[in-house]
Amino acid sequence: MSWGTELWDQYDNLAIHTNKGIEFLDKYANFIRDRLTIETEYAAKLRRLVKNYQPKKKEEEDNEFTSWQAFRKVLNEISDLAGQREVVAESLQLQIIQGISLLSKTLREERKKCLANGTYLHQNLTTQLAALERAKRNYEKAYRDSEKAVENYKKADMDLNLSRAEVERYKNIMTAKIQQSDDAKNEYANQLQKSNNLQQQHYHELLPEVFNRLQELDEKRTRGIREFIIGAADVESSVAPIIARCLEGMVKAGESINEKEDSYKVIERYQSGFTPPGDIPFEDLSKMDTLDTSQESHYNHVQSSHLTVKGTISANKIKKRVGIFNIFGSNKEDFSDLPPNQRRKKLQAKIAELQQKIQQETAARDGLMKMKVVYEANSSLGNPMTVEGQLNESEHKLEKLKMDLKKYQGYLEKANQIPIANNSPQANRTHSMNNGHRSSRHSNGSTEDNNYDGDFQPDDAGSLSSSASPESGLGTSHTSLPGSAHGSTHENAMGEDAYYETEMEPLQPLGTCRALYPFEATSEGSIPMNEGEELQVIEIDQGDGWTRVRRINNTNGWDEGFVPTSYIECTLYA
């Protein structure tokens, strides 16, 4: 269907329709702009929300809880989600808004040219029709004048009273009028032919061409709106997979929350390690000779009870507490004013910090030594004496750090001699080690001595073959005590006999677990597992990232060993 043939007489309506179409295109552009603004504001508000709920510095200690870790992961996913909304806004601006603006400008210019051409054609036709109308009126007037002249001549010729000259004059007038009538007739006929030809060309060639161009413009506008709507949806679809992954990350963060693990960490954080006060002995006043001894015993018990509550919230009425999450603050170098369990934790953290500093300083010293060797080999690169001072300073720092490490390890060794409450995680862990459960990680049943021997050897905490791997026999965490069980006199005295003794008495399963991912046993003491395989848990993760399991169906010759805790999903018995 063509506008030029079907709508030949609808010039004004077509002009209005095409203008409304372009205005609709601009309206859609305004809609995209408003949506772009909403996307930008939404992204900005999401980022502001994430910033407002980021954990404060005073809350860093709580990040060890799974719920807090999950919330931080959710905040990270929300931040990524905000980034995707910004991508949507930017894509709408570059791909849709700019495209609509360019198309609208082009359509307005072409429509203006088409309407100007149509107006010119209408003016030409109108002018020609006006000339035809004038020629027609002239012809009608000349024809009436010629008829009147003929009638006057006939009357004069029949009138005998008129002279011959008068009759001849009427004849000449008649002849002139007839000639004028013929000329007007010919002019009228000529204008009529020109008008018909122009009108034919106008309605069948020129004007249809203008209307067809307007039709093309309108179809181009309609097609553009279709492409822009699809393009806006494609912009949204392009970020949908990333948004879906963000939502999956939030779900995984929520699933990673473990209420039992958080409860255990609360115990680790706040347990003092003191034993509850015992029964108060009966003071028999009739035995005066034992009165002094009883009073002294009662006094010691009161002192012990006082130490038991030290570091708790109630004890902070005496001493100003340092923040609600830092109730075990200390002002002494060896943390001797803290409860035993908290003192060990502080000393272990201090030792780990010193070990990390020693490792960093050792790397810096080695780098300086290599630089000095290079300068000595090629003096053009630099003067070796320039790094001599830095090397000496590094050696001094390293020596001081080693001395501090040895000092704090001595503090820890003394702290390990303090009795631990039987129901504390520390006591359970030490008891597990002394029973040979942890020493069974060695193939020969022996353990390693983690005490500092004066020559520090940095560990690689990230490798599976380091102190956190099953075959190392250490398996320490932030609650285990280097030197308390590993390398102790009691455990070394047990030797291989204790190892085989524990092997003869299988541990009772604590629950079951399912393998989330396949694992290849690349280190001694670990066992492989397939994805979805069901295993028995015989020893839970002690904070080193490994869980001891036993295979339910011994199909490949493996009996029991350690697997990464992050690779399994545990269900412990009540």
Side-chain angles (χ1 to χ4, degrees):
M1 302 296 289
S2 173
W3 287 8
T5 56
E6 303 296 332
L7 304 176
W8 62 272
D9 58 344
Q10 300 297 319
Y11 177 82
D12 293 337
N13 288 334
L14 290 180
I16 295 173
H17 172 76
T18 52
N19 184 58
K20 287 183 177 180
I22 296 177
E23 289 179 350
F24 175 72
L25 180 63
D26 293 337
K27 183 178 181 180
Y28 180 72
N30 293 332
F31 164 75
I32 295 296
R33 288 190 184 93
D34 291 342
R35 183 189 171 188
L36 185 152
T37 302
I38 293 174
E39 294 285 357
T40 304
E41 292 177 353
Y42 179 49
K45 290 181 178 179
L46 284 180
R47 292 196 180 279
R48 193 179 307 117
L49 177 68
V50 171
K51 182 179 179 181
N52 292 339
Y53 281 87
Q54 282 293 342
K56 305 299 187 293
K57 188 175 182 180
K58 62 181 181 180
E59 300 173 342
E60 290 180 355
E61 191 178 5
D62 293 321
N63 290 334
E64 64 183 30
F65 295 113
T66 59
S67 55
W68 285 66
Q69 294 172 0
F71 181 61
R72 293 196 68 172
K73 292 179 182 178
V74 169
L75 291 180
N76 292 335
E77 298 297 346
I78 293 294
S79 180
D80 294 341
L81 188 63
Q84 297 310 309
R85 304 323 305 178
E86 291 173 345
V87 170
V88 170
E90 183 178 358
S91 299
L92 290 177
Q93 175 65 38
L94 296 178
Q95 300 178 18
I96 308 301
I97 297 297
Q98 293 185 3
I100 292 178
S101 300
L102 180 61
L103 178 61
S104 177
K105 181 180 179 181
T106 302
L107 292 178
R108 288 186 183 279
E109 292 177 353
E110 293 184 359
R111 175 181 176 275
K112 184 177 180 180
K113 292 180 181 178
C114 290
L115 294 180
N117 190 18
T119 301
Y120 173 75
L121 294 178
H122 274 291
Q123 288 178 352
N124 286 344
L125 180 61
T126 302
T127 301
Q128 181 59 41
L129 292 177
L132 174 63
E133 186 65 23
R134 288 193 301 271
K136 182 179 180 180
R137 288 197 300 269
N138 291 337
Y139 170 63
E140 290 176 350
K141 183 175 182 299
Y143 181 77
R144 289 193 298 270
D145 291 344
S146 65
E147 286 183 341
K148 186 176 181 180
V150 169
E151 183 179 356
N152 291 335
Y153 169 72
K154 289 180 178 181
K155 289 182 179 180
D157 187 44
M158 294 178 64
D159 189 357
L160 300 177
N161 295 324
L162 295 176
S163 62
R164 194 53 144 171
E166 288 291 332
V167 174
E168 190 66 23
R169 186 173 66 84
Y170 280 107
K171 182 179 179 180
N172 292 336
I173 292 174
M174 180 189 69
T175 303
K177 294 296 183 181
I178 291 175
Q179 184 62 39
Q180 291 178 359
S181 176
D182 292 339
D183 293 341
K185 181 178 180 181
N186 293 333
E187 178 64 18
Y188 169 65
N190 186 32
Q191 291 295 332
L192 180 61
Q193 184 178 3
K194 289 176 61 177
S195 297
N196 288 333
N197 292 337
L198 181 60
Q199 185 171 270
Q200 182 75 15
Q201 187 179 16
H202 177 82
Y203 287 109
H204 291 82
E205 296 180 11
L206 301 178
L207 193 60
E209 182 180 355
V210 173
F211 285 178
N212 289 337
R213 287 176 60 189
L214 289 175
Q215 182 179 358
E216 292 176 1
L217 292 178
D218 194 70
E219 290 177 354
K220 184 178 181 181
R221 173 194 61 82
T222 306
R223 185 169 56 253
I225 293 178
R226 180 187 64 187
E227 293 175 355
F228 291 136
I229 291 177
I230 296 175
D234 290 339
V235 168
E236 188 78 21
S237 300
S238 64
V239 301
I242 303 178
I243 294 176
R245 286 198 293 271
C246 292
L247 298 177
E248 291 176 2
M250 296 180 193
V251 173
K252 289 181 179 179
E255 292 174 347
S256 67
I257 298 177
N258 188 327
E259 65 278 8
K260 297 297 183 182
E261 183 178 348
D262 283 359
S263 297
Y264 177 77
K265 289 179 178 178
V266 171
I267 296 175
E268 277 195 335
R269 175 183 292 190
Y270 299 115
Q271 188 177 37
S272 65
F274 291 116
T275 57
D279 295 336
I280 300 175
F282 175 74
E283 298 181 8
D284 191 353
L285 300 179
S286 62
K287 297 180 180 180
M288 301 302 295
D289 55 342
T290 60
L291 178 61
D292 296 338
T293 304
S294 299
Q295 289 178 348
E296 182 179 356
S297 175
H298 176 68
Y299 175 77
N300 292 335
H301 174 74
V302 172
Q303 290 292 332
S304 177
S305 299
H306 172 70
L307 291 175
T308 301
V309 299
K310 182 178 181 181
T312 62
I313 294 179
S314 60
N316 286 322
K317 295 179 180 179
I318 302 174
K319 181 180 179 181
K320 182 180 180 182
R321 58 182 182 173
V322 187
I324 191 171
F325 296 117
N326 193 21
I327 61 177
F328 293 118
S330 175
N331 295 322
K332 293 188 177 182
E333 182 184 35
D334 60 350
F335 307 106
S336 59
D337 55 341
L338 295 181
N341 200 46
Q342 302 302 323
R343 182 187 181 190
R344 292 186 183 93
K345 290 178 60 178
K346 292 290 186 179
L347 289 172
Q348 288 173 348
K350 187 66 176 180
I351 290 174
E353 179 185 355
L354 289 173
Q355 288 176 344
Q356 183 179 7
K357 289 182 178 179
I358 289 176
Q359 185 177 1
Q360 294 175 353
E361 195 62 35
T362 302
R365 182 200 60 184
D366 294 342
L368 290 173
M369 293 180 65
K370 291 179 181 179
M371 185 182 299
K372 181 181 178 182
V373 172
V374 172
Y375 287 174
E376 289 176 348
N378 189 353
S379 59
S380 61
L381 296 177
N383 186 0
M385 298 304 296
T386 58
V387 297
E388 187 69 27
Q390 299 179 12
L391 190 58
N392 293 335
E393 183 180 355
S394 179
E395 290 284 358
H396 178 71
K397 289 182 180 179
L398 189 58
E399 186 65 26
K400 186 177 182 303
L401 288 173
K402 288 182 179 180
M403 292 176 61
D404 291 342
L405 177 62
K406 189 173 183 178
K407 178 177 61 176
Y408 278 97
Q409 285 179 338
Y411 292 154
L412 181 60
E413 186 176 355
K414 293 180 181 178
N416 290 334
Q417 299 174 0
I418 301 176
I420 311 174
N422 292 330
N423 60 343
S424 67
Q426 189 64 40
N428 294 335
R429 186 159 177 88
T430 304
H431 177 71
S432 174
M433 292 175 183
N434 292 335
N435 284 338
H437 298 169
R438 302 298 291 172
S439 63
S440 63
R441 292 193 177 192
H442 279 291
S443 59
N444 58 2
S446 62
T447 58
E448 295 179 1
D449 188 0
N450 197 35
N451 289 336
Y452 176 71
D453 58 359
D455 186 11
F456 175 75
Q457 297 294 335
D459 295 331
D460 183 6
S463 64
L464 292 177
S465 62
S466 65
S467 60
S469 63
E471 70 277 10
S472 66
L474 296 179
T476 57
S477 69
H478 57 284
T479 61
S480 60
L481 307 179
S484 62
H486 310 298
S488 63
T489 304
H490 174 70
E491 188 174 12
N492 289 337
M494 293 172 64
E496 297 183 0
D497 295 337
Y499 171 77
Y500 288 111
E501 181 181 355
T502 56
E503 290 297 327
M504 292 176 62
E505 297 179 2
L507 298 174
Q508 294 297 324
L510 304 177
T512 61
C513 66
R514 182 176 63 86
L516 300 177
Y517 315 99
F519 173 67
E520 297 291 339
T522 58
S523 57
E524 185 179 356
S526 61
I527 64 171
M529 61 181 178
N530 299 321
E531 182 177 355
E533 184 177 359
E534 296 289 339
L535 303 167
Q536 289 181 344
V537 178
I538 58 177
E539 184 179 343
I540 63 175
D541 186 1
Q542 302 297 318
D544 54 5
W546 293 88
T547 300
R548 189 176 180 184
V549 299
R550 178 186 296 132
R551 197 178 305 282
I552 299 177
N553 296 322
N554 187 9
T555 58
N556 60 353
W558 293 84
D559 196 5
E560 64 182 37
F562 291 90
V563 296
T565 305
S566 58
Y567 279 52
I568 59 176
E569 181 181 17
C570 295
T571 303
L572 300 180
Y573 299 142

